[in-house]
Amino acid sequence: MDLIVKNVRRVAAPDADPADIAVADGGIVAIGSSLSGARETYDAGGRFACAGLIETHIHLDKSRIIDRCQLPEGRRVNPVTTVAPLKPAMTVEDIYARAEATLRECLVNGATRMRTQVEIDPGIGLRGFEAIRALADAYRWAIDIEPCVFPQDGLTNYPGTEELLVEALKAGAPVLGAAPRYDSDPAAQIDRIFALAREFDVDLDLHLDVGDSTDHMDIRQVLDLTERCRRGGRVVVGHMAKLSLMPPHQSAAMARRLADAGIAVTVLPATDLYLMGRDRDHDVRRGVADANHLHEHGVTCSLSSNNILNPATPYGDCSLIRIANLHANVLQVVGAQRLRELFLMLSEHSARLLNLADYGLEIGKPADIVVIDATTPEQAVAEIRPPLAVWKRGRRTVTRQPPELHVPA
Ligand SMILES: [Zn+2]
């Protein structure tokens, strides 16, 4: 045996007595009591563990550029037109270095899997894709990274973008994204993206429905195409901030349609808090979709960081647990059960959203184990408790020492 994590509660059954998890050859081989005889033993002291936190939606390639960007004047902001002029000067090395710095923060905050959005267009070419693929190879010891290639600056209005996207898909990009809000013809972009997804048989993960009114919602077209193209279970929509503008009976009806169609939702609280409500100078709306409400109506949901230190989200420390806590504050979440759900939207539910079949603290699964400094998931979210130890396929990748208070003798 290579490793035994002793005295640990599992996120799927945090109320059960702590158990021991045994690991050999990178996989979980036994879960029981009083296991012994391993090369490495870690006593979790009754804390709980999950099979790793999952960033389902982050932009490594454009993280850490806030210092290069002009400060916005006034309330109106457009992160896309702020970043676009910087892209031609971004080299593979520059993208790699910034993405790596962000990735390392994600690792110490407990991420073991990630889907990262990668911008493709004539301004940046395939340099972002190249950098992220190199980074994924270099950090395979710590995390599985899946790139989602997409046209941030528009598809139908930006000649050359589609050819580059096709090149990335031919080179093996496993997921295709979209950003119809920044296209001069949003509906045409969505049609084209679904056609490409069918042609290359890839999953879809679209930025959708950020804005200050529900007069038009792209989700209606996405629902229709998902059903017509039989893509249920393979479509994720990120943001969905406009759901926060609807009264509960309307958002509940929309949630049930999403659940029936097999469309999952990633809520991105930090970005939506920063970008929504820019039409107002007081009484600014919060603009974050309620993930607990969506979950209640059967939608598979995750919470993610989205952007770190760029014009769409100038702040962030890559702590997913902080993002769950932020959601709890903004949505005025009450009760242990709902807080527990929010933790599952960083872990088990996120795995379902990404269709990860090999995720979980179970015998036969890879030994991705993250011990959190809390006895329950709800405590972790309420108090933003950090991960203390992380293993990827049975190998220790992170150790975090709790701070020490030096009380006078
Ligand atoms: Zn995004």
Side-chain angles (χ1 to χ4, degrees), residues 13 33 90 117 173 225 231 255 285 289-290 294 348 404:
S33 55
M90 291 179 182
Q117 300 273 334
L225 282 166
R231 306 304 287 184
R285 67 181 76 82
D290 186 337
L294 289 166
E348 314 265 314
E404 223 178 302

Side-chain angles (χ1 to χ4, degrees), residues 57-59 62 117 150 152 207 239 268 271 306-307:
H57 186 132
I58 190 166
H59 296 251
K62 64 173 167 187
Q117 300 273 334
F150 85 111
Q152 175 72 81
H207 295 83
H239 293 289
L268 304 164
T271 304
N306 194 27
N307 285 293

